[in-house]
Amino acid sequence: TAKKRKSERKDEKKKLLMALARTHGNAIFGNIMADFMFKRLFGNKRIMLTFLNEVLPDVGIADLNYINTENQGEQPDDRKAIFDLACMTTSGHEVIIEMQMADQKYLKKRAVAYSAYPIVRQARMMRENSLSGGKDFRWDFDLHPVYFVGILNFSLEHEKGWPGGNYISRYELMEKSTGEVMTDTLKYVFVELGRFFKRESECDSFMDMLAYSMKLMHQFKDIPSSFDNDVIKYLYKLSEMFNFTDEEMEAYKKSLRM
């Protein structure tokens, strides 16, 4: 009967939760670094807006929309790039968000390559507009900004003297001797969880609480008592595995094996 099947699914879900709890130290929260959980949380506009305004404080993002993550090259047989998440702000700025579990030798170069896809797309759109707009249409190369944000479960190599406690690195194009910014078209931000070592009592900002949670929350039975931040509390609520549907639980379990 339908009632019996529902009871069986409930029992199966309970068994799976118990197995996950044993694997993750009797925790009730999912691991944010699992692909399913990452997209569940950062695919939430409230969390994403707060996060982006923290890592891109000079941009000021009022609102955003999630956009297609699949990007085609110039030619049909060119290699595609599929981002983890991508957003377009109401100001027309595009943000690429990538989560990386394992160290990659050429990650910074990969970030540059990924940021080229939206620029090529802008050029292609302007070319198409030129063809449809008549001979008087001219594109002046006024590119909309493109930002790459990487959340890394490791550390990047930095020059000697890099502050030990600095786990967020930010890059943009600038004149080397004066620091004058050439253009705000490209920005690169890396949240390096491999450089985050603060204790719970030392987390005094949204980013500290987020980094701490990304590394450890799958081991917790409750949200840390000192984390008095509404967005962080909301993030923990969304991470509770007991709130998952059967399909979401299966997707989470699958992403843990990836």
Side-chain angles (χ1 to χ4, degrees):
T1 65
K3 186 175 181 181
K4 182 179 180 181
R5 288 195 297 270
K6 184 177 180 181
S7 177
E8 289 173 348
R9 286 197 300 269
K10 187 175 181 180
D11 289 341
E12 181 64 27
K13 184 175 179 180
K14 185 177 180 181
K15 290 178 183 178
L16 178 57
L17 284 170
M18 291 175 66
L20 287 169
R22 287 193 297 271
T23 304
H24 297 291
N26 295 318
I28 63 171
F29 303 108
N31 188 338
I32 303 182
M33 300 307 287
D35 184 70
F36 169 82
M37 188 64 67
F38 175 79
K39 291 176 180 175
R40 174 182 174 88
L41 299 179
F42 285 87
N44 179 281
K45 186 184 287 190
R46 182 183 179 189
I47 294 172
M48 180 66 88
L49 268 173
T50 305
F51 170 69
L52 291 181
N53 278 309
E54 289 286 334
V55 297
L56 295 165
D58 55 336
V59 175
I61 302 174
D63 200 2
L64 58 81
N65 292 301
Y66 291 92
I67 59 176
N68 184 22
T69 57
E70 186 173 304
N71 291 264
Q72 178 64 54
E74 272 289 88
Q75 303 300 323
D77 58 347
D78 284 348
R79 180 176 178 177
K80 293 181 180 179
I82 301 177
F83 309 146
D84 285 336
L85 291 168
C87 307
M88 184 73 73
T89 74
T90 49
S91 301
H93 302 178
E94 187 163 341
V95 189
I96 301 165
I97 303 94
E98 282 284 302
M99 184 268 288
Q100 292 293 324
M101 284 293 293
D103 194 358
Q104 294 191 7
K105 184 177 180 180
Y106 299 113
L107 180 69
K108 291 180 181 177
K109 293 182 179 180
R110 178 179 176 180
V112 174
Y114 272 21
S115 66
Y117 280 89
I119 291 176
V120 169
R121 189 187 333 114
Q122 289 184 50
R124 185 166 58 244
M125 291 174 61
M126 291 301 104
R127 184 167 64 246
E128 292 171 356
N129 290 340
S130 176
L131 293 174
S132 62
K135 63 180 181 180
D136 293 331
F137 183 91
R138 293 291 183 275
W139 181 38
D140 59 4
F141 293 92
D142 184 18
L143 292 166
H144 296 300
V146 177
Y147 310 134
F148 178 97
V149 179
I151 301 175
L152 318 177
N153 199 35
F154 52 91
S155 304
L156 294 175
E157 289 187 8
H158 293 283
E159 294 181 354
K160 187 177 180 180
W162 180 265
N166 189 2
Y167 63 95
I168 303 178
S169 47
R170 297 179 173 90
Y171 301 89
E172 56 187 303
L173 300 175
M174 62 177 60
E175 204 284 322
K176 191 169 183 178
S177 63
T178 65
E180 178 185 31
V181 176
M182 171 184 162
T183 174
D184 64 352
T185 301
L186 292 171
K187 294 180 187 290
Y188 302 91
V189 180
F190 300 98
V191 180
E192 305 174 43
L193 296 178
R195 293 184 179 275
F196 184 85
F197 302 107
K198 288 187 177 182
R199 296 186 292 269
E200 177 187 335
S201 60
E202 298 173 314
C203 296
D204 56 6
S205 69
F206 171 83
M207 281 306 302
D208 284 353
M209 295 178 201
L210 179 63
Y212 185 86
S213 300
M214 294 191 79
K215 293 189 73 170
L216 298 171
M217 73 179 293
H218 58 280
Q219 302 175 12
F220 299 158
K221 295 181 181 179
D222 201 356
I223 181 174
S225 59
S226 62
F227 285 13
D228 189 18
N229 179 284
D230 289 342
V231 178
I232 292 294
K233 290 178 180 178
Y234 179 57
L235 179 145
Y236 271 80
K237 186 68 175 177
L238 289 181
S239 302
E240 291 179 349
M241 292 186 288
F242 290 101
N243 291 327
F244 288 5
T245 64
D246 293 342
E247 292 76 15
E248 289 170 340
M249 181 59 69
E250 188 61 32
Y252 175 61
K253 184 174 69 169
K254 183 179 179 181
S255 72
L256 288 174
R257 297 195 296 262
M258 295 174 64

Coordinates of all heavy atoms in Angstrom, one line a residue, residues 106-177:
Y106 N 47.7 24.6 -12.2 CA 47.5 25.8 -13.0 C 46.2 26.5 -12.7 O 45.5 27.0 -13.6 CB 47.6 25.5 -14.5 CG 49.0 24.9 -14.9 CD1 49.1 23.6 -15.3 CD2 50.1 25.7 -14.8 CE1 50.4 23.0 -15.6 CE2 51.4 25.2 -15.1 CZ 51.5 23.9 -15.5 OH 52.7 23.3 -15.9
L107 N 45.8 26.5 -11.4 CA 44.5 27.0 -11.1 C 44.3 28.4 -11.5 O 43.3 28.8 -12.0 CB 44.2 26.8 -9.6 CG 42.8 27.3 -9.2 CD1 41.7 26.4 -9.8 CD2 42.7 27.4 -7.7
K108 N 45.3 29.3 -11.2 CA 45.2 30.7 -11.5 C 45.0 30.9 -13.0 O 44.3 31.7 -13.5 CB 46.4 31.5 -11.0 CG 46.5 31.6 -9.5 CD 47.7 32.3 -9.0 CE 47.7 32.4 -7.5 NZ 49.0 33.1 -7.0
K109 N 45.8 30.1 -13.8 CA 45.7 30.2 -15.3 C 44.3 29.7 -15.7 O 43.7 30.3 -16.7 CB 46.8 29.4 -16.0 CG 48.2 30.0 -15.7 CD 49.2 29.2 -16.4 CE 50.6 29.9 -16.2 NZ 51.7 29.1 -16.9
R110 N 43.8 28.7 -15.1 CA 42.4 28.2 -15.4 C 41.4 29.3 -15.1 O 40.5 29.5 -15.9 CB 42.1 27.0 -14.5 CG 40.7 26.4 -14.7 CD 40.5 25.2 -13.9 NE 39.2 24.7 -14.0 CZ 38.7 23.6 -13.4 NH1 39.5 22.9 -12.6 NH2 37.5 23.2 -13.5
A111 N 41.6 30.1 -14.0 CA 40.7 31.2 -13.7 C 40.7 32.2 -14.8 O 39.6 32.7 -15.2 CB 41.1 31.8 -12.3
V112 N 41.9 32.5 -15.3 CA 42.0 33.5 -16.4 C 41.3 33.0 -17.6 O 40.5 33.7 -18.3 CB 43.5 33.8 -16.7 CG1 43.6 34.7 -18.0 CG2 44.2 34.5 -15.5
A113 N 41.5 31.7 -17.9 CA 40.9 31.1 -19.1 C 39.3 31.1 -19.0 O 38.6 31.4 -19.9 CB 41.3 29.6 -19.3
Y114 N 38.8 30.8 -17.8 CA 37.4 30.8 -17.6 C 36.8 32.2 -17.7 O 35.7 32.4 -18.3 CB 37.1 30.3 -16.2 CG 36.9 28.8 -16.1 CD1 37.4 27.9 -17.1 CD2 36.2 28.2 -15.0 CE1 37.3 26.6 -17.0 CE2 36.0 26.8 -14.9 CZ 36.6 26.0 -15.9 OH 36.4 24.6 -15.9
S115 N 37.5 33.2 -17.2 CA 37.0 34.6 -17.4 C 37.0 35.1 -18.8 O 36.3 36.0 -19.1 CB 37.9 35.5 -16.5 OG 39.2 35.6 -17.0
A116 N 37.8 34.4 -19.7 CA 37.8 34.8 -21.1 C 36.5 34.4 -21.8 O 36.1 35.0 -22.8 CB 39.0 34.1 -21.8
Y117 N 35.8 33.3 -21.3 CA 34.6 32.9 -22.0 C 33.5 34.0 -22.0 O 32.9 34.2 -23.1 CB 34.1 31.6 -21.3 CG 34.8 30.4 -21.8 CD1 35.9 29.9 -21.1 CD2 34.3 29.6 -22.9 CE1 36.6 28.8 -21.5 CE2 35.0 28.5 -23.3 CZ 36.1 28.1 -22.6 OH 36.8 26.9 -23.1
P118 N 33.2 34.6 -20.9 CA 32.2 35.7 -20.9 C 32.6 36.9 -21.8 O 31.8 37.5 -22.4 CB 32.1 36.1 -19.4 CG 32.5 34.9 -18.7 CD 33.6 34.3 -19.5
I119 N 33.9 37.1 -21.8 CA 34.4 38.2 -22.7 C 34.2 37.9 -24.1 O 33.7 38.7 -24.9 CB 35.8 38.6 -22.4 CG1 36.0 39.2 -20.9 CG2 36.4 39.5 -23.4 CD1 37.4 39.4 -20.5
V120 N 34.5 36.7 -24.5 CA 34.3 36.3 -25.9 C 32.8 36.3 -26.2 O 32.4 36.7 -27.3 CB 34.9 34.8 -26.1 CG1 34.4 34.3 -27.5 CG2 36.4 34.9 -26.0
R121 N 32.0 35.9 -25.3 CA 30.5 35.9 -25.5 C 30.1 37.4 -25.7 O 29.2 37.6 -26.6 CB 29.8 35.3 -24.3 CG 28.3 35.1 -24.6 CD 27.5 34.7 -23.4 NE 28.3 33.9 -22.4 CZ 28.5 34.3 -21.2 NH1 28.1 35.5 -20.8 NH2 29.1 33.6 -20.3
Q122 N 30.6 38.3 -24.9 CA 30.2 39.7 -25.1 C 30.6 40.2 -26.5 O 29.8 40.9 -27.2 CB 30.9 40.6 -24.1 CG 30.4 40.4 -22.7 CD 31.0 41.4 -21.7 OE1 31.1 42.6 -21.9 NE2 31.5 40.9 -20.6
A123 N 31.8 39.8 -27.0 CA 32.3 40.2 -28.3 C 31.4 39.6 -29.4 O 31.0 40.3 -30.4 CB 33.7 39.8 -28.5
R124 N 31.0 38.4 -29.2 CA 30.1 37.7 -30.2 C 28.8 38.4 -30.2 O 28.2 38.6 -31.3 CB 30.0 36.2 -29.8 CG 29.2 35.4 -30.8 CD 29.4 33.9 -30.6 NE 29.0 33.5 -29.3 CZ 29.8 33.0 -28.4 NH1 31.1 32.8 -28.6 NH2 29.3 32.6 -27.2
M125 N 28.2 38.7 -29.1 CA 26.9 39.4 -29.1 C 27.0 40.8 -29.7 O 26.1 41.2 -30.5 CB 26.5 39.6 -27.6 CG 26.1 38.2 -27.0 SD 25.7 38.4 -25.2 CE 24.3 39.5 -25.3
M126 N 28.1 41.5 -29.5 CA 28.3 42.8 -30.1 C 28.4 42.7 -31.6 O 27.9 43.5 -32.4 CB 29.5 43.5 -29.5 CG 29.3 44.0 -28.1 SD 27.9 45.1 -27.8 CE 26.7 43.9 -27.1
R127 N 29.1 41.6 -32.0 CA 29.3 41.4 -33.5 C 27.9 41.1 -34.1 O 27.6 41.6 -35.2 CB 30.2 40.3 -33.7 CG 30.5 40.0 -35.2 CD 31.7 39.1 -35.4 NE 31.5 37.8 -34.9 CZ 32.1 37.2 -33.8 NH1 33.1 38.0 -33.2 NH2 31.9 36.0 -33.4
E128 N 27.1 40.3 -33.4 CA 25.8 40.0 -33.9 C 24.9 41.3 -34.0 O 24.1 41.5 -34.9 CB 25.1 38.9 -33.1 CG 25.8 37.6 -33.2 CD 25.3 36.6 -32.2 OE1 24.5 37.0 -31.3 OE2 25.7 35.4 -32.2
N129 N 25.0 42.1 -32.9 CA 24.3 43.4 -32.9 C 24.7 44.3 -34.0 O 23.9 45.0 -34.6 CB 24.5 44.1 -31.6 CG 23.8 43.4 -30.4 OD1 22.9 42.6 -30.7 ND2 24.2 43.6 -29.2
S130 N 26.0 44.2 -34.4 CA 26.6 45.1 -35.4 C 26.0 44.6 -36.8 O 25.6 45.5 -37.6 CB 28.1 44.9 -35.5 OG 28.6 45.7 -36.6
L131 N 25.8 43.3 -37.0 CA 25.3 42.8 -38.2 C 23.8 43.2 -38.4 O 23.3 43.5 -39.5 CB 25.5 41.3 -38.3 CG 26.9 40.8 -38.4 CD1 27.0 39.3 -38.3 CD2 27.6 41.3 -39.7
S132 N 23.1 43.2 -37.3 CA 21.7 43.5 -37.3 C 21.4 45.0 -37.2 O 20.3 45.5 -37.5 CB 20.9 42.7 -36.2 OG 21.4 43.1 -34.9
G133 N 22.4 45.8 -36.7 CA 22.2 47.2 -36.5 C 22.5 48.1 -37.6 O 22.4 49.3 -37.5
G134 N 23.1 47.6 -38.7 CA 23.4 48.4 -39.8 C 24.9 48.9 -39.8 O 25.6 48.6 -38.8
K135 N 25.3 49.5 -40.8 CA 26.7 49.8 -41.0 C 27.2 50.9 -40.0 O 28.4 51.1 -39.8 CB 27.0 50.3 -42.4 CG 26.2 51.6 -42.8 CD 26.6 52.0 -44.2 CE 25.8 53.3 -44.6 NZ 26.1 53.7 -46.0
D136 N 26.3 51.6 -39.4 CA 26.7 52.7 -38.5 C 26.9 52.2 -37.0 O 27.4 53.0 -36.2 CB 25.5 53.8 -38.4 CG 25.4 54.5 -39.7 OD1 26.4 54.6 -40.4 OD2 24.3 55.0 -40.0
F137 N 26.6 50.9 -36.8 CA 26.8 50.4 -35.5 C 28.3 50.1 -35.2 O 28.9 49.4 -36.1 CB 26.0 49.1 -35.3 CG 26.1 48.5 -33.9 CD1 25.2 48.9 -32.9 CD2 27.1 47.6 -33.5 CE1 25.3 48.4 -31.6 CE2 27.2 47.1 -32.3 CZ 26.3 47.5 -31.3
R138 N 28.9 50.6 -34.2 CA 30.3 50.3 -33.9 C 30.4 50.0 -32.4 O 29.9 50.7 -31.5 CB 31.2 51.5 -34.2 CG 31.3 51.8 -35.6 CD 32.1 50.8 -36.4 NE 32.3 51.1 -37.8 CZ 31.5 50.8 -38.7 NH1 30.3 50.2 -38.4 NH2 31.7 51.2 -40.0
W139 N 31.1 48.9 -32.1 CA 31.3 48.5 -30.7 C 32.6 49.2 -30.2 O 33.6 49.1 -30.8 CB 31.4 47.0 -30.5 CG 31.7 46.5 -29.1 CD1 31.1 47.0 -28.0 CD2 32.5 45.4 -28.7 NE1 31.5 46.3 -26.9 CE2 32.4 45.3 -27.3 CE3 33.3 44.5 -29.4 CZ2 33.0 44.4 -26.5 CZ3 33.9 43.5 -28.6 CH2 33.8 43.5 -27.2
D140 N 32.5 49.9 -29.0 CA 33.7 50.6 -28.5 C 34.4 49.8 -27.5 O 35.3 50.4 -26.7 CB 33.2 51.9 -28.0 CG 32.2 51.8 -26.8 OD1 31.9 50.6 -26.4 OD2 31.7 52.8 -26.3
F141 N 34.2 48.5 -27.4 CA 34.9 47.6 -26.4 C 34.7 48.0 -25.0 O 35.5 47.7 -24.1 CB 36.4 47.6 -26.7 CG 36.8 47.0 -28.0 CD1 36.9 47.8 -29.2 CD2 37.0 45.6 -28.1 CE1 37.2 47.2 -30.4 CE2 37.3 45.1 -29.4 CZ 37.4 45.9 -30.5
D142 N 33.5 48.5 -24.7 CA 33.1 48.8 -23.3 C 32.6 47.5 -22.7 O 31.4 47.2 -22.6 CB 32.0 49.9 -23.3 CG 31.6 50.3 -21.8 OD1 32.5 50.0 -20.9 OD2 30.6 50.8 -21.6
L143 N 33.5 46.7 -22.2 CA 33.2 45.4 -21.6 C 32.5 45.5 -20.3 O 32.9 46.3 -19.5 CB 34.5 44.5 -21.5 CG 35.2 44.1 -22.8 CD1 36.6 43.6 -22.4 CD2 34.4 43.0 -23.5
H144 N 31.6 44.6 -20.1 CA 31.0 44.5 -18.7 C 32.0 43.7 -17.9 O 32.6 42.7 -18.3 CB 29.6 43.8 -18.8 CG 28.6 44.5 -19.6 ND1 28.2 45.8 -19.2 CD2 27.9 44.2 -20.7 CE1 27.3 46.2 -20.1 NE2 27.1 45.3 -21.0
P145 N 32.1 44.1 -16.6 CA 33.1 43.4 -15.7 C 32.8 41.9 -15.6 O 31.6 41.5 -15.6 CB 33.0 44.1 -14.4 CG 32.5 45.5 -14.8 CD 31.6 45.3 -15.9
V146 N 33.8 41.1 -15.4 CA 33.8 39.7 -15.2 C 34.6 39.4 -13.9 O 35.8 39.8 -13.9 CB 34.3 38.9 -16.4 CG1 34.3 37.4 -16.0 CG2 33.5 39.2 -17.6
Y147 N 34.0 38.7 -13.0 CA 34.7 38.4 -11.7 C 34.7 36.8 -11.6 O 33.7 36.2 -11.8 CB 34.0 39.0 -10.5 CG 33.7 40.5 -10.7 CD1 32.4 41.0 -10.3 CD2 34.7 41.4 -11.1 CE1 32.2 42.3 -10.5 CE2 34.4 42.7 -11.3 CZ 33.1 43.2 -10.9 OH 32.9 44.5 -11.1
F148 N 35.9 36.3 -11.2 CA 36.1 34.9 -10.9 C 36.3 34.8 -9.4 O 37.1 35.4 -8.8 CB 37.3 34.4 -11.6 CG 37.5 32.9 -11.3 CD1 37.1 31.9 -12.2 CD2 38.2 32.5 -10.2 CE1 37.3 30.6 -11.9 CE2 38.5 31.2 -9.9 CZ 38.0 30.2 -10.8
V149 N 35.4 33.9 -8.7 CA 35.6 33.7 -7.3 C 35.8 32.2 -7.1 O 34.9 31.4 -7.5 CB 34.3 34.2 -6.5 CG1 34.5 33.8 -5.0 CG2 34.1 35.6 -6.8
G150 N 36.9 31.8 -6.5 CA 37.2 30.4 -6.3 C 37.2 30.1 -4.8 O 37.8 30.9 -4.0
I151 N 36.5 29.1 -4.4 CA 36.6 28.6 -3.0 C 37.4 27.3 -3.0 O 37.0 26.3 -3.7 CB 35.1 28.3 -2.5 CG1 34.3 29.6 -2.6 CG2 35.2 27.8 -1.1 CD1 32.9 29.4 -2.2
L152 N 38.5 27.3 -2.4 CA 39.5 26.3 -2.5 C 39.7 25.5 -1.2 O 39.9 26.2 -0.1 CB 40.9 26.9 -3.0 CG 40.8 27.9 -4.1 CD1 42.2 28.5 -4.3 CD2 40.1 27.4 -5.3
N153 N 39.7 24.2 -1.3 CA 40.0 23.4 -0.1 C 41.5 23.1 0.1 O 41.9 22.1 0.6 CB 39.2 22.1 -0.2 CG 39.0 21.4 1.2 OD1 38.8 22.1 2.2 ND2 39.1 20.1 1.2
F154 N 42.3 24.1 -0.3 CA 43.7 24.0 -0.2 C 44.3 25.4 -0.2 O 43.6 26.4 -0.2 CB 44.3 23.2 -1.3 CG 43.8 23.6 -2.7 CD1 44.6 24.5 -3.4 CD2 42.7 23.1 -3.3 CE1 44.1 24.9 -4.7 CE2 42.2 23.5 -4.5 CZ 43.0 24.4 -5.2
S155 N 45.6 25.5 -0.3 CA 46.3 26.8 -0.3 C 47.0 27.1 -1.6 O 47.5 26.1 -2.2 CB 47.4 26.9 0.8 OG 46.8 26.6 2.1
L156 N 47.0 28.3 -2.0 CA 47.7 28.7 -3.2 C 49.1 29.1 -2.8 O 49.4 29.5 -1.6 CB 47.1 29.9 -3.9 CG 45.7 29.6 -4.5 CD1 45.1 31.0 -5.1 CD2 45.8 28.6 -5.7
E157 N 50.1 29.0 -3.7 CA 51.4 29.5 -3.5 C 51.5 31.0 -3.6 O 50.9 31.6 -4.5 CB 52.4 28.9 -4.4 CG 52.6 27.4 -4.2 CD 53.8 26.8 -5.1 OE1 54.4 27.7 -5.8 OE2 53.9 25.6 -5.1
H158 N 52.1 31.7 -2.6 CA 52.3 33.1 -2.7 C 53.7 33.5 -2.5 O 54.6 32.7 -2.1 CB 51.4 33.7 -1.5 CG 50.0 33.6 -1.7 ND1 49.2 34.4 -2.6 CD2 49.1 32.8 -1.1 CE1 48.0 34.0 -2.5 NE2 47.8 33.0 -1.6
E159 N 54.0 34.7 -2.8 CA 55.4 35.2 -2.6 C 55.8 35.2 -1.1 O 54.9 35.3 -0.2 CB 55.5 36.6 -3.2 CG 55.4 36.6 -4.7 CD 55.6 38.0 -5.3 OE1 55.7 39.0 -4.5 OE2 55.6 38.2 -6.5
K160 N 57.1 35.2 -0.9 CA 57.5 35.3 0.5 C 57.0 36.5 1.2 O 57.0 37.6 0.7 CB 59.1 35.3 0.5 CG 59.7 35.2 1.9 CD 61.2 35.1 1.8 CE 61.9 35.0 3.1 NZ 63.4 34.9 3.1
G161 N 56.6 36.4 2.4 CA 56.1 37.5 3.2 C 54.6 37.6 3.2 O 54.0 38.5 3.8
W162 N 53.9 36.6 2.5 CA 52.4 36.6 2.5 C 51.9 36.4 4.0 O 52.4 35.5 4.7 CB 51.9 35.5 1.6 CG 50.4 35.4 1.6 CD1 49.6 34.6 2.3 CD2 49.5 36.2 0.7 NE1 48.3 34.8 2.0 CE2 48.2 35.8 1.0 CE3 49.7 37.1 -0.3 CZ2 47.1 36.3 0.4 CZ3 48.6 37.6 -0.9 CH2 47.3 37.2 -0.6
P163 N 51.0 37.3 4.5 CA 50.5 37.2 5.8 C 49.9 35.8 6.1 O 49.0 35.4 5.4 CB 49.5 38.3 5.9 CG 49.8 39.3 4.9 CD 50.4 38.4 3.7
G164 N 50.4 35.2 7.2 CA 49.9 33.8 7.5 C 48.5 33.7 7.7 O 47.9 32.6 7.3
G165 N 47.8 34.7 8.3 CA 46.4 34.6 8.5 C 45.5 35.0 7.4 O 44.2 35.0 7.6
N166 N 46.1 35.5 6.3 CA 45.3 36.0 5.2 C 44.8 34.8 4.3 O 45.6 34.3 3.5 CB 46.1 37.0 4.4 CG 45.2 37.7 3.4 OD1 44.0 37.5 3.3 ND2 45.9 38.6 2.6
Y167 N 43.5 34.5 4.4 CA 43.0 33.3 3.6 C 42.2 33.8 2.4 O 41.6 32.9 1.7 CB 42.2 32.4 4.5 CG 41.0 33.0 5.1 CD1 39.7 32.8 4.5 CD2 41.0 33.7 6.3 CE1 38.6 33.4 5.1 CE2 39.9 34.2 6.9 CZ 38.7 34.1 6.3 OH 37.5 34.6 6.8
I168 N 42.1 35.1 2.1 CA 41.4 35.6 1.0 C 42.4 36.4 0.1 O 42.9 37.4 0.6 CB 40.2 36.4 1.3 CG1 39.2 35.7 2.2 CG2 39.5 36.9 0.1 CD1 38.0 36.5 2.7
S169 N 42.6 36.0 -1.1 CA 43.5 36.7 -2.0 C 42.7 37.3 -3.1 O 41.8 36.7 -3.7 CB 44.6 35.8 -2.5 OG 44.1 34.6 -3.0
R170 N 43.0 38.6 -3.5 CA 42.3 39.3 -4.5 C 43.3 39.9 -5.5 O 44.3 40.4 -5.2 CB 41.5 40.4 -3.9 CG 40.4 40.0 -2.9 CD 39.7 41.2 -2.3 NE 38.5 40.8 -1.5 CZ 38.6 40.6 -0.2 NH1 39.8 40.6 0.5 NH2 37.5 40.2 0.5
Y171 N 43.0 39.7 -6.8 CA 43.8 40.1 -7.9 C 43.0 40.9 -8.9 O 41.9 40.7 -9.1 CB 44.5 38.9 -8.6 CG 45.3 38.0 -7.7 CD1 44.7 37.0 -7.0 CD2 46.7 38.3 -7.5 CE1 45.5 36.1 -6.2 CE2 47.4 37.4 -6.7 CZ 46.8 36.4 -6.1 OH 47.6 35.6 -5.2
E172 N 43.7 41.9 -9.5 CA 43.1 42.6 -10.6 C 44.3 43.3 -11.4 O 45.4 43.3 -11.0 CB 42.1 43.7 -10.2 CG 42.6 44.7 -9.2 CD 41.5 45.6 -8.7 OE1 40.8 46.3 -9.6 OE2 41.3 45.7 -7.5
L173 N 44.0 43.8 -12.6 CA 45.0 44.4 -13.5 C 45.4 45.7 -13.0 O 44.5 46.6 -12.8 CB 44.5 44.4 -14.9 CG 44.1 43.1 -15.6 CD1 43.5 43.4 -17.0 CD2 45.3 42.2 -15.7
M174 N 46.7 46.0 -12.7 CA 47.1 47.3 -12.3 C 48.6 47.6 -12.7 O 49.3 46.7 -13.0 CB 47.0 47.4 -10.7 CG 47.8 46.4 -9.9 SD 47.6 46.7 -8.2 CE 45.9 46.4 -7.9
E175 N 48.9 48.8 -12.6 CA 50.3 49.2 -12.9 C 51.2 48.9 -11.7 O 50.9 49.2 -10.6 CB 50.3 50.8 -13.2 CG 51.5 51.2 -14.0 CD 52.8 51.2 -13.2 OE1 52.8 51.6 -12.0 OE2 53.9 50.9 -13.8
K176 N 52.3 48.2 -12.0 CA 53.0 47.5 -11.0 C 53.7 48.5 -10.0 O 53.7 48.3 -8.8 CB 54.1 46.6 -11.6 CG 54.8 45.7 -10.6 CD 55.6 44.7 -11.2 CE 56.3 43.7 -10.2 NZ 57.0 42.6 -10.9
S177 N 54.3 49.6 -10.5 CA 55.0 50.5 -9.6 C 54.2 51.4 -8.7 O 54.5 51.8 -7.6 CB 56.0 51.3 -10.4 OG 55.3 52.2 -11.3

